[in-house]
Amino acid sequence: MASTSNTSSPEEQTHDAITAEEITGEEPPNSPQTSTDPSSQKRPNAFTELMSSSKKPKPTAAFTSQSPGALQKAKDASKGWDPRNGLALYIEKPETNPEGRVVEYDDDYVVINDKYPKASVHLLLIPRKPEYYTQHPLQLLSTATAFRAEVCNRVARLKVLAASELRRQYGHLSVSDTPYQEALEVLMSSTDDPPPPKERAALLPPGRDWLSDIVAGVHTHPSMNHLHIHVFSREMQSPWMKHKKHYLSFNTTFLVRLEEFPLDEGSERFHPGKWPNWDMKCWRCGKNFKNKFAALKVHLEEEFEQWKKE
Amino acid sequence: MASTSNTSSPEEQTHDAITAEEITGEEPPNSPQTSTDPSSQKRPNAFTELMSSSKKPKPTAAFTSQSPGALQKAKDASKGWDPRNGLALYIEKPETNPEGRVVEYDDDYVVINDKYPKASVHLLLIPRKPEYYTQHPLQLLSTATAFRAEVCNRVARLKVLAASELRRQYGHLSVSDTPYQEALEVLMSSTDDPPPPKERAALLPPGRDWLSDIVAGVHTHPSMNHLHIHVFSREMQSPWMKHKKHYLSFNTTFLVRLEEFPLDEGSERFHPGKWPNWDMKCWRCGKNFKNKFAALKVHLEEEFEQWKKE
DNA sequence: TATTCCGATAGTGAC
DNA sequence: GTCACTATCGGAATGAG
């Protein structure tokens, strides 16, 4: 079955949203015992199921660039390797599914799982055309109407995908999702040929609104050179959520949400000033942790335990 | 022989200047392989030899204070234990030779090896009378003429003692000390009854001027509550020399040398301002290390190697 | 400016 | 605002019975 295979042939434009360590052996910096249910790791995830449906973007002919090795050598020779260009790999050769992180791609966009996710779900939508990915995200999203519309369309679908992944990870612990979970159990076990994921929604009660905890937006001053849109869950539970700036960059106005565009031409949002010095406040209860990141981390785990059970 | 014994009976007012770990098992925070010659650890040191001579201060009758336990409990009850009062122990019961650190004492003063020495030799001269030890060192040394004179007399002798200890530790590596070292070798091996330390100086060539690298002074804002005068060697080689403020406090005008007293009444020396932000400069070559303590430490070891060979 | 522990802050280098 | 490493800087508690 396609949903459990892990092919990376050029003919396939979608990939299982597998974790990095399954391919590369890379591991999170800290043991993530408290962040995820180990039993959920073995099930097919939401990316797998939704992306194998019929609504996915269509692939094109094989991408005809130089070999990655040649490109890499050229960059190294000219100015040395620059970690801020790390996203180029996915733009140039998505069909090779680098590091097993590609969720889907077509001629114009690639979607990946963030290499250092700051939440349980953390996707990046990356335009593949230089006319887009070389631009500053606030500028481009405020002025290029067609680009913005296309991004909004794709993000709308990715948010549903991300919400579905949240349900896969935590649905069994959620009180408000119980109607959905129980109906799903019945639906999947009542026949030898259960309906595909896309047809299930119409057959099931709504359950919890996971979509309300998915956010999409861009950083005012991205560190990575290629324009990218973050789609992530709000709970901020990840072993890669390690620094104050990590938290602030996703939980302050330093993040411009997609629905805030277009910005006014002279908007102050373009110049957040000393944002790394801003206080850290809990995304859920609003408690101010000032600059105490370690205390915030402890608190976020407590909020996470409550949030899952909602 | 007294010079190699380690008695702490009330009748004795001097003690071998043994290292702390010989008594308490305490060890330096980092392995001190590079700071001292292991072979020198087994020989009697300069404190032992000089303090067993006839010029030492005379002891008095047993010190009649409350028991240390009673004093300790009183402090604990009133305001809790305070590490800034750590020197009280030596003032109150020097005859018990606490932690093996007492070099000498009498009714009025006690001399100890600093518990956390910042150099190869680091003594503290501590007055035992509350009328002195409760005062601010800059104020008292600038105004109490008799006290200052007494301190200067004692420090003059302690500097000779410290210089002798430097010679014991590093003399065998010193080019300019060769005449002394060779003559000493001859003197000590030519007879079965070598002269006592105090008589040797007249029989030997001067050799290296170790005294020129011994400094005495007080901190402008001491952390320890009981007034104390530092007598130390300049090379700053010690596993307890670990922080910028350690270095600055012994190598800037934050240290007021004994010969600088009395200070003028309105002297700026009383208010060094933001001294912990001052640059660190090598005591020997003057090189400015700004705030790079780790780099300074490496450099100090290099200077140390050269300095020993002078 | 006592130490020690922990953590926040800052600079660098990286393919 | 990429990470990872080192080191600097900053506050709080501190022993012993």
Side-chain angles (χ1 to χ4, degrees):
Chain A
M1 179 179 175
S3 64
T4 55
S5 71
N6 179 33
T7 61
S8 56
S9 66
E11 294 78 21
E12 284 285 338
Q13 82 281 25
T14 66
H15 303 278
D16 294 350
I18 54 180
T19 59
E21 56 269 29
E22 287 180 288
I23 290 289
T24 64
E26 194 171 337
E27 287 183 13
N30 300 310
S31 31
Q33 300 98 324
T34 61
S35 60
T36 54
D37 178 359
S39 68
S40 69
Q41 307 280 19
K42 299 301 178 188
R43 298 180 242 155
N45 64 35
F47 306 146
T48 300
E49 300 207 356
L50 286 192
M51 286 309 97
S52 58
S53 74
S54 61
K55 273 190 157 181
K56 63 202 174 190
K58 290 302 168 194
T60 65
F63 197 60
T64 56
S65 68
Q66 304 175 60
S67 74
L71 282 170
Q72 196 61 43
K73 277 171 190 163
K75 283 175 204 160
D76 290 351
S78 63
K79 58 168 185 171
W81 179 79
D82 189 344
R84 290 186 170 80
N85 292 331
L87 296 179
L89 177 62
Y90 310 105
I91 289 173
E92 291 164 1
K93 287 286 179 181
E95 67 276 13
T96 66
N97 190 17
E99 300 171 311
R101 233 178 295 284
V102 174
V103 173
E104 64 175 36
Y105 71 95
D106 59 22
D107 275 7
D108 299 323
Y109 290 86
V110 58
V111 176
I112 66 169
N113 284 298
D114 194 292
K115 187 170 186 174
Y116 305 99
K118 305 304 188 292
S120 296
V121 185
H122 190 173
L123 302 170
L124 300 183
L125 172 65
I126 312 171
R128 297 182 66 191
K129 303 295 195 209
E131 62 185 294
Y132 297 135
Y133 72 60
T134 58
Q135 302 288 309
H136 188 282
L138 269 58
Q139 185 64 28
L140 189 63
L141 285 167
S142 293
T143 58
T145 305
F147 173 78
R148 182 173 67 249
E150 175 65 14
V151 164
C152 283
N153 278 338
R154 288 172 181 260
V155 162
R157 193 170 46 75
L158 291 174
K159 288 175 76 168
V160 172
L161 174 60
S164 181
E165 174 63 9
L166 273 191
R167 167 171 273 149
R168 184 192 68 82
Q169 291 187 35
Y170 308 120
H172 61 295
L173 303 172
S174 169
V175 168
S176 57
D177 212 32
T178 302
Y180 179 96
Q181 297 290 329
E182 291 181 348
L184 179 64
E185 183 73 15
V186 170
L187 180 68
M188 299 301 281
S189 59
S190 63
T191 167
D192 290 335
D193 186 25
K198 274 292 165 182
E199 299 174 15
R200 288 176 205 161
L203 304 171
L204 295 167
R208 177 168 171 174
D209 179 18
W210 299 98
L211 209 52
S212 68
D213 285 320
I214 302 295
V215 175
V218 295
H219 285 151
T220 301
H221 296 304
S223 282
M224 301 303 271
N225 288 335
H226 299 78
L227 190 151
H228 52 282
I229 297 95
H230 296 271
V231 179
F232 61 97
S233 52
R234 301 182 66 195
E235 95 293 336
M236 298 288 114
Q237 281 299 120
S238 165
W240 287 283
M241 170 58 64
K242 294 194 287 192
H243 304 299
K244 182 182 189 181
K245 284 195 283 191
H246 289 161
Y247 188 78
L248 291 177
S249 69
F250 289 102
N251 292 277
T252 65
T253 57
F254 181 84
L255 181 92
V256 185
R257 295 190 179 203
L258 213 48
E259 59 267 29
E260 298 185 86
F261 287 100
L263 301 178
D264 295 336
E265 190 171 322
S267 171
E268 294 185 356
R269 299 296 291 278
F270 285 88
H271 304 290
K274 299 188 173 191
W275 68 271
N277 293 337
W278 293 350
D279 287 353
M280 290 175 283
K281 298 174 185 176
C282 174
W283 67 277
R284 194 158 178 262
C285 75
K287 180 174 175 182
N288 189 335
F289 286 82
K290 303 292 182 71
N291 65 339
K292 305 301 182 187
F293 181 83
L296 171 67
K297 280 288 280 187
V298 171
H299 178 78
L300 286 178
E301 293 204 14
E302 296 166 357
E303 291 283 13
F304 179 52
E305 290 305 310
Q306 297 303 313
W307 171 82
K308 283 186 293 187
K309 296 172 188 167
E310 274 186 3
Chain B
M1 178 175 177
S3 63
T4 56
S5 70
N6 178 35
T7 61
S8 55
S9 64
E11 294 78 23
E12 282 287 337
Q13 82 279 25
T14 66
H15 303 278
D16 293 351
I18 54 181
T19 58
E21 57 268 30
E22 287 180 288
I23 291 289
T24 65
E26 195 173 336
E27 287 182 12
N30 300 310
S31 32
Q33 299 97 327
T34 60
S35 60
T36 53
D37 178 359
S39 68
S40 68
Q41 306 278 19
K42 299 303 178 188
R43 299 181 241 152
N45 63 36
F47 307 146
T48 300
E49 301 207 355
L50 287 192
M51 286 309 96
S52 59
S53 75
S54 61
K55 273 190 155 181
K56 63 203 176 190
K58 289 302 168 191
T60 66
F63 195 61
T64 57
S65 69
Q66 303 175 61
S67 76
L71 282 170
Q72 196 61 42
K73 275 171 190 163
K75 283 175 204 159
D76 291 353
S78 62
K79 59 168 184 172
W81 177 78
D82 189 344
R84 291 186 173 80
N85 291 330
L87 296 180
L89 177 61
Y90 310 106
I91 289 173
E92 292 164 0
K93 287 285 179 182
E95 68 276 12
T96 66
N97 190 15
E99 300 170 310
R101 230 178 299 285
V102 175
V103 174
E104 64 175 36
Y105 71 95
D106 58 24
D107 275 6
D108 299 322
Y109 291 86
V110 58
V111 176
I112 66 168
N113 284 298
D114 194 292
K115 187 170 186 175
Y116 305 99
K118 305 305 188 293
S120 297
V121 184
H122 189 172
L123 302 170
L124 301 184
L125 172 66
I126 312 170
R128 295 183 66 192
K129 304 294 194 207
E131 60 183 297
Y132 296 136
Y133 71 61
T134 57
Q135 301 289 310
H136 187 284
L138 269 57
Q139 184 64 29
L140 189 63
L141 285 166
S142 293
T143 59
T145 305
F147 172 78
R148 181 174 68 250
E150 177 65 15
V151 164
C152 285
N153 277 339
R154 289 172 180 259
V155 162
R157 193 171 44 76
L158 291 175
K159 288 175 76 167
V160 172
L161 173 61
S164 180
E165 174 62 8
L166 274 191
R167 168 171 273 151
R168 184 191 67 82
Q169 290 187 37
Y170 308 120
H172 60 296
L173 303 172
S174 168
V175 168
S176 57
D177 211 33
T178 301
Y180 179 95
Q181 296 290 327
E182 291 180 348
L184 178 64
E185 182 75 14
V186 170
L187 181 67
M188 298 300 281
S189 59
S190 61
T191 167
D192 291 336
D193 187 27
K198 275 292 165 183
E199 299 175 16
R200 289 177 203 158
L203 304 171
L204 295 168
R208 178 168 171 174
D209 178 18
W210 299 98
L211 209 50
S212 68
D213 286 318
I214 303 295
V215 175
V218 295
H219 286 150
T220 302
H221 296 305
S223 282
M224 300 303 269
N225 288 335
H226 299 78
L227 190 152
H228 53 282
I229 297 96
H230 296 271
V231 178
F232 60 97
S233 52
R234 298 183 69 194
E235 93 295 332
M236 299 288 113
Q237 282 299 121
S238 165
W240 286 283
M241 170 57 63
K242 295 196 286 192
H243 304 299
K244 182 181 189 182
K245 284 192 286 191
H246 288 160
Y247 188 79
L248 291 176
S249 71
F250 289 102
N251 292 279
T252 65
T253 57
F254 181 83
L255 180 92
V256 185
R257 296 190 180 203
L258 212 48
E259 60 266 31
E260 299 184 85
F261 289 99
L263 300 178
D264 294 336
E265 190 170 324
S267 172
E268 295 185 355
R269 298 297 290 279
F270 285 88
H271 305 288
K274 300 187 174 192
W275 68 272
N277 293 338
W278 293 350
D279 288 351
M280 289 174 284
K281 298 175 185 174
C282 174
W283 67 276
R284 194 158 178 262
C285 75
K287 180 173 176 182
N288 189 336
F289 287 81
K290 304 291 182 71
N291 66 337
K292 306 301 182 186
F293 181 83
L296 170 67
K297 279 287 282 189
V298 170
H299 177 79
L300 287 178
E301 293 204 13
E302 295 166 357
E303 292 284 14
F304 179 51
E305 290 305 311
Q306 296 305 312
W307 170 82
K308 284 185 293 188
K309 296 172 186 166
E310 274 186 1

